[in-house]
Structure formats: C-alpha cells, structure tokens
Amino acid sequence: MSKPALSIQNAVKTYANGFTALRGVSFQVEEGEFFGLLGPNGAGKTTLISASAGLLRLTSGKITVNGYDVRNQADQSRKSLGVVPQELVFDPFFNVREALRFQSGYFGIKHNDDWIDEIISGLGLADKANTNTRNLSGGMKRRVMVAQALVHRPPVIVLDEPTAGVDVELRQNLWQFIQKLNQQGHTIILTTHYLEEAQSLCHRIAMMKNGQVVALDSTTNLLHKEQSGIRLALSLDQRLPESLNRCLLEQEGFDCVLKLNDYSELAFVLQALQFAKVNIKSLNILETDLEDVFLNLMRDEQGAAA
Ligand SMILES: Nc1ncnc2c1ncn2[C@@H]1O[C@H](COP(=O)(O)OP(=O)(O)OP(=O)(O)O)[C@@H](O)[C@H]1O
Ligand SMILES: [Mg+2]
C-alpha cells in the first residue's frame, strides 16, 4: 500500500498565549492528489501547514509527510515537503539564481543547475535570474518563493496562498506549472481564498473553520450538495402556475427563484409555464459554485460543532 502524502492525526495546537488554533484536526492526502485546504482568515490553515513543515510543534497529535513522522523523522519528512509560505521572507543579499543555489545547498544538493533553470523558466523568472531579490516586485518575489520550495524536487508541495498579490498572467503560468508537476506525480496541497481557482484545480477539498475541519469531500460532491436553481422574471401581471409553488424558494414582485433537485427538472418547469400560458421576461440558471458551498458552511453554526 502506498503511504499517504500527508497524514494529520488529531492535531491540536494551543499557542503560548493560550489560544487554541487547531482543535483536533484529522485528514489524509493521498499520493498524487491535488488537494485544497480552504477556510476563512484565522481558521488554522497556516498553523497546520507550519506544523506539517516542522516549524511549529503540535500540542498533541501526529503528522506524517510521505510516511515520515514530522517529529521523529524530521530530516526525511523535511526533504519530502516543499512549502511556499504565505509570508514573503528573503535573504536580501542574493540574486534569484544564487538564492535557488543556496537553497539547494541547504538540502545537500550540489549539481542542480538544470533543474534550477527549468524552474526559473517555468515560473517566468528568466529575465530576473540575475536580479537581487531585494529589487523584485511583490509578485516576482512570490514567484521566487515558489521556486525555492521546488529546488529539492519534493514529492509533496504545499502552497499557502501562492497567488495573493499575483497578476493574472503569472497565476495562469503558475497553475500550468503546478498542474504539470501534479501530472508528473507530485502531490499538491493548496490554500487559497480564490475559490474559483480551488474549484477548477483541486480534486478534493477540506474546509476548516475555527480550528476544525467542517467539510471534507471531492470537489464534485461538495458542489452537488448545494441546490441548483433558476431565476425567473415573469412578465407584468403574470403569476407563477400553482404547480410550481412547491419549488418556489423566494419571490419578490415578478422575480422568482425556484429550486431544482437537479437541472433535469428544468424541463418540468418550462412545461408548467407553457401549459399555464405564463409569459416570462427572462430565465437564468443559478449555477452553484464553491463560493456558495463555502459561504453556507461558514454560516452554518452547527458546522463548527460537527
Ligand atoms: N504565534 C501565535 N500566537 C497566538 N495565536 C496565533 C499565533 N499564530 C497564529 N495565531 C492565531 O491562530 C489562529 C489561526 O491562524 P492561522 O494563521 O493558522 O490562520 P489561517 O487559516 O492561515 O488564516 P489566513 O487565511 O488569514 O492566512 C488565528 O486566530 C491566529 O490569530
Ligand atoms: Mg494563513
């Protein structure tokens, strides 16, 4: 059996000031997954990532990376993991290529220039390779952070909000590059507040709130749990046929929102309208996206207690 890329078992973290940021988190990311770790500000995502990287010690619980215990097999687990941290931190004396060589040295890798070149060009850093990191723009610095996390070709890559402050073009570059790494077998764990990015990239998602996991499922299943719907604008003086009352979710004047169990019920709605000779001005399909799922979960107080 292959070992999980990341296994979190009952992780609890209480900071020195007494605040408990992780309240018993457990989940597993399998090898080769593109996994999303989502949650509002303060949910505990970065705390969990820092603990996985061995930068912070759990109060209780256990984390393994690539099968290696973060505490007892720190060296192997550190080599298995590449983290792009949320905060930009740099040694200001290096240019981009030097920073990447230095980072390679840190992992004991000597001849790494071919791979460094590949990362540099994959992340659109080629014309900045000899620029001092101090003189890069914020988005460029972010690219260097991504590059640094990849120098030792870690099987598991964690990206903690890699696209914050990054322009559209780099985002697309970055995602192409990360998707290629995923296709080559790297496990990707992504934290982002851009939910449409998570929806299109991640196969499976954990949602955190107040230091707990409140949802853990495939992206498709999460989306299916939300109800589909349509918005109808009736023409003046028209009334919704009675047969549709049972799916009426809300109505304001001539504007109605109907909920559907799935989109195949659309035919039924259209038939009912036609049968009752009701004229409509417009009909819009309300597509559920991850943002709806997320907002509902975060609103749901019971989610926190689950
Ligand atoms: N060193 C610390 N001491 C005390 N509390 C801390 C410390 N670091 C983080 N926290 C608290 O732990 C909680 C979780 O923080 P964390 O950074 O893990 O959240 P996050 O999910 O990454 O949020 P964001 O989306 O804003 O990055 C927050 O309430 C934060 O204030
Ligand atoms: Mg964070």
Side-chain angles (χ1 to χ4, degrees):
M1 228 182 74
S2 76
K3 39 194 182 333
L6 178 68
S7 164
I8 317 267
Q9 297 153 46
N10 236 323
V12 173
K13 174 65 190 179
T14 301
Y15 281 109
N17 65 357
F19 180 80
T20 301
L22 298 176
R23 301 192 284 151
V25 172
S26 299
F27 63 86
Q28 208 158 289
V29 180
E30 302 306 327
E31 214 178 272
E33 275 200 274
F34 202 128
F35 187 90
L37 181 62
L38 308 182
N41 293 134
K45 306 175 300 291
T46 299
T47 303
L48 193 61
I49 291 168
S50 305
S52 308
L55 300 171
L56 177 155
R57 192 186 264 231
L58 288 178
T59 308
S60 65
K62 179 178 160 167
I63 300 181
T64 67
V65 181
N66 211 14
Y68 300 115
D69 190 301
V70 169
R71 286 279 304 284
N72 305 325
Q73 295 165 295
D75 205 41
Q76 289 106 314
S77 84
R78 197 171 55 91
K79 283 185 178 146
S80 304
L81 189 67
V83 178
V84 182
Q86 184 171 13
E87 303 292 333
L88 295 168
V89 272
F90 275 106
D91 193 321
F93 301 107
F94 290 136
N95 70 34
V96 172
R97 188 180 297 279
E98 286 162 349
L100 296 179
R101 283 192 180 138
F102 183 81
Q103 185 80 5
S104 304
Y106 175 74
F107 282 103
I109 308 167
K110 285 208 181 87
H111 307 287
N112 205 19
D113 280 359
D114 287 351
W115 176 234
I116 288 178
D117 282 336
E118 202 176 321
I119 310 177
I120 284 181
S121 84
L123 290 169
L125 280 166
D127 52 350
K128 302 283 178 196
N130 299 317
T131 304
N132 191 299
T133 51
R134 199 173 31 195
N135 301 328
L136 294 174
S137 71
M140 288 289 174
K141 282 189 181 129
R142 179 75 59 190
R143 300 184 201 204
V144 179
M145 305 281 292
V146 176
Q148 278 186 334
L150 299 176
V151 287
H152 57 299
R153 298 179 190 251
V156 187
I157 300 163
V158 179
L159 302 129
D160 195 353
E161 296 196 41
T163 46
V166 159
D167 68 33
V168 185
E169 196 189 337
L170 169 65
R171 270 201 222 178
Q172 307 217 325
N173 278 345
L174 183 64
W175 294 134
Q176 261 171 20
F177 190 69
I178 300 292
Q179 275 180 307
K180 201 172 99 189
L181 290 171
N182 183 235
Q183 279 150 16
Q184 291 166 353
H186 293 266
T187 306
I188 312 291
I189 299 162
L190 167 68
T191 287
T192 179
H193 290 289
Y194 297 101
L195 296 177
E196 67 298 348
E197 287 184 352
Q199 183 175 338
S200 68
L201 290 161
C202 303
H203 311 144
R204 216 156 60 89
I205 287 174
M207 289 199 185
M208 286 182 69
K209 178 184 177 181
N210 296 332
Q212 288 184 308
V213 173
V214 292
L216 175 65
D217 211 335
S218 69
T219 312
T220 329
N221 284 347
L222 284 172
L223 291 171
H224 276 158
K225 278 182 193 147
E226 263 339 91
Q227 242 160 4
S228 335
I230 51 173
R231 181 182 295 278
L232 281 179
L234 301 173
S235 300
L236 215 60
D237 295 334
Q238 299 285 304
R239 289 187 50 196
L240 198 68
E242 257 172 39
S243 56
L244 292 181
N245 276 347
R246 66 176 173 86
C247 39
L248 184 65
L249 199 63
E250 53 187 74
Q251 179 160 21
E252 233 187 275
F254 294 103
D255 203 23
C256 316
V257 176
L258 305 180
K259 65 173 176 345
L260 307 177
N261 290 319
D262 62 70
Y263 289 118
S264 63
E265 286 188 1
L266 192 57
F268 162 76
V269 173
L270 292 175
Q271 244 172 17
L273 290 169
Q274 201 176 28
F275 184 74
K277 298 195 166 59
V278 174
N279 291 319
I280 54 171
K281 268 200 314 215
S282 67
L283 183 154
N284 291 304
I285 293 187
L286 304 173
E287 271 185 274
T288 20
D289 56 18
L290 204 58
E291 196 161 305
D292 301 323
V293 179
F294 183 85
L295 290 174
N296 279 340
L297 269 167
M298 296 310 143
R299 245 194 312 261
D300 176 11
E301 274 313 308
Q302 295 195 309

